[in-house]
């Protein structure tokens, strides 16, 4: 099971990852996997091995964030569309950091990097991959996530947008359908946090810990947790202490008590 987590082969549903494993264990397990797979070779240097381990961890973190965001957007799609209606692209992108540039070998020093299309929204067939750079939306230059949000805010009456990506120093234009959601809410995963927790903050974001992703058994349970947090934001009761620190919304005991009732959720519940 641990080897599967390191290899990151299964991504059908969110699964947690033990980010605290020791480097010697990771080195041994990667070598075992590579030795059993003739299509890959064992990294020849420790630096190359460490680089691959960093990429595996980051890929797993991004995969989990994609799953959480996709479920969150699906919930927001089915909510009543009021004054806060937002248009969003069915993909996840992040501001470029030096860590991302070194791992995914992006060509620009700053800008916006594509993490991936949200699963289940029909963008999987488009010729884009993690590490591509989002440079334009409808011809307008995009240098940050904030700039992308500004451009998308002007497209409330549009059904799609022309998105320009930079892939291997080549610009690619594609028409990408826009999603209509009740309101724009950023979803995040807090890695290396074993606490079974999820929370909405005063800034309008929802965070799920890696401990919660380890705890839920399926996407329905995760959808229930996200719906609870969306409710806090919609009615304006996102919680925080007097010091400004966010407090847990869910506890392990609360979730287990709910689970004991053996609830089952289907789309539309």
């Amino acid at each position: 099971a641990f080897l599967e987590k390191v290899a990151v082969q299964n991504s059908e549903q969110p699964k947690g990852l033990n980010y605290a494993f020791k480097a010697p264990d990771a080195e041994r397990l990667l070598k075992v996997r590579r030795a059993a797979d003739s299509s890959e070779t064992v990294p020849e240097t420790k630096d190359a091995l460490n680089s691959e381990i960093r990429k595996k961890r980051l890929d797993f973190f991004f995969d989990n964030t994609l799953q959480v965001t996709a479920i969150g957007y699906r919930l927001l799609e089915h909510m009543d569309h009021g004054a806060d209606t937002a248009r969003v692209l069915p993909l996840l992108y992040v501001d470029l950091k030096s860590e991302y540039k070194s791992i995914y070998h992006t060509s620009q020093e700053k800008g916006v990097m594509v993490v991936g299309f949200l699963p289940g929204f029909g963008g999987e067939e488009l010729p884009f991959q993690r590490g591509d750079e989002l440079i334009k939306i409808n011809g307008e230059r995009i240098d940050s996530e904030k700039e992308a949000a500004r451009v998308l805010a002007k497209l409330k009456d549009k059904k799609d947008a022309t998105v320009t990506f930079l892939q291997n120093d080549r610009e690619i234009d594609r028409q990408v359908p826009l999603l209509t959601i009740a309101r724009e809410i950023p979803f995040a995963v807090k890695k290396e946090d074993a606490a079974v927790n999820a929370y909405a903050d005063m800034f309008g974001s929802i965070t799920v810990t890696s401990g919660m992703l380890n705890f839920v058994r399926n996407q329905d349970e995760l959808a229930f947790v996200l719906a609870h947090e969306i409710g806090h934001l919609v009615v304006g009761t996102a919680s925080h202490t007097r010091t400004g620190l966010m407090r847990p919304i869910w506890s392990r005991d609360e979730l287990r008590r709910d689970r004991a009732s053996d609830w089952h959720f289907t789309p539309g519940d």
Side-chain angles (χ1 to χ4, degrees):
F2 185 74
L3 182 58
E4 283 295 318
K5 290 177 181 179
V6 174
V8 194
Q9 298 298 323
N10 268 324
S11 59
E12 294 180 359
Q13 66 180 42
K15 293 182 180 179
L17 174 66
N18 178 8
Y19 286 92
F21 66 78
K22 296 179 180 179
D25 293 332
E27 180 174 358
R28 177 176 57 82
L29 288 168
L30 277 172
K31 285 184 176 180
V32 167
R33 177 171 65 84
R34 288 297 179 80
D37 184 352
S38 59
S39 66
E40 298 184 76
T41 58
V42 176
E44 295 182 358
T45 67
K46 199 167 189 66
D47 285 344
L49 178 66
N50 288 334
S51 178
E52 179 168 352
I53 291 172
R54 287 196 301 273
K55 185 176 185 300
K56 294 290 186 185
R57 285 178 168 178
L58 193 56
D59 278 340
F60 196 84
F61 166 69
F62 281 149
D63 288 342
N64 278 345
T65 306
L66 278 168
Q67 292 280 358
V68 170
T69 302
I71 293 172
Y73 276 12
R74 191 66 76 194
L75 292 168
L76 292 168
E77 263 195 323
H78 289 87
M79 285 176 56
D80 181 37
H81 292 173
D84 289 333
T85 298
R87 286 289 207 185
V88 294
L89 291 167
L91 62 94
L92 189 65
Y93 45 85
V94 294
D95 288 335
L96 263 175
K97 297 180 179 179
S98 57
E99 177 187 14
Y100 305 159
K101 179 176 174 59
S102 64
I103 290 176
Y104 297 107
H105 309 294
T106 60
S107 58
Q108 299 186 124
E109 292 297 328
K110 64 177 182 177
V112 179
M113 188 190 84
V114 174
V115 171
F117 277 86
L118 301 180
F121 286 92
E124 293 87 349
E125 74 280 0
L126 293 172
F128 307 121
Q129 57 194 19
R130 184 166 299 164
D132 290 350
E133 294 156 75
L134 173 61
I135 58 175
K136 294 177 187 176
I137 299 177
N138 274 12
E140 293 195 47
R141 186 77 186 183
I142 302 299
D143 294 318
S144 65
E145 292 180 66
K146 186 176 180 180
E147 186 67 16
R150 183 191 67 79
V151 174
L152 289 170
K154 300 189 294 185
L155 303 178
K156 284 193 174 183
D157 298 326
K158 305 293 184 181
K159 292 184 177 181
D160 51 37
T162 302
V163 180
T164 305
F165 296 85
L166 189 64
Q167 185 180 95
N168 299 325
D169 296 324
R170 183 170 63 95
E171 291 190 10
I172 303 174
D173 292 331
R174 286 292 187 276
Q175 290 295 118
V176 178
L178 295 172
L179 304 178
T180 301
I181 58 177
R183 61 189 294 171
E184 188 168 3
I185 297 177
F187 295 89
V189 173
K190 187 177 181 183
K191 58 185 179 180
E192 300 184 41
D193 189 340
V196 179
N197 196 9
Y199 47 80
D201 64 34
M202 68 190 81
F203 305 108
S205 300
I206 290 174
T207 299
V208 180
T209 64
S210 55
M212 175 65 81
L213 295 183
N214 261 325
F215 185 83
V216 295
R217 293 177 299 185
N218 52 50
Q219 294 187 355
D220 292 330
E221 290 189 352
L222 180 56
F224 181 66
V225 172
L226 293 178
H228 177 92
E229 305 308 333
I230 290 172
H232 277 287
L233 293 179
V234 170
V235 300
T237 57
S239 300
H240 59 281
T241 66
R242 291 181 181 178
T243 61
L245 297 175
M246 295 167 284
R247 68 171 177 79
I249 301 295
W250 283 93
S251 73
R252 181 183 294 269
D253 289 340
E254 287 175 319
L255 274 177
R256 284 201 167 132
R257 188 162 56 248
D258 287 334
R259 181 176 292 177
S261 65
D262 198 26
W263 291 355
H264 296 279
F265 302 97
T266 58
D269 286 352

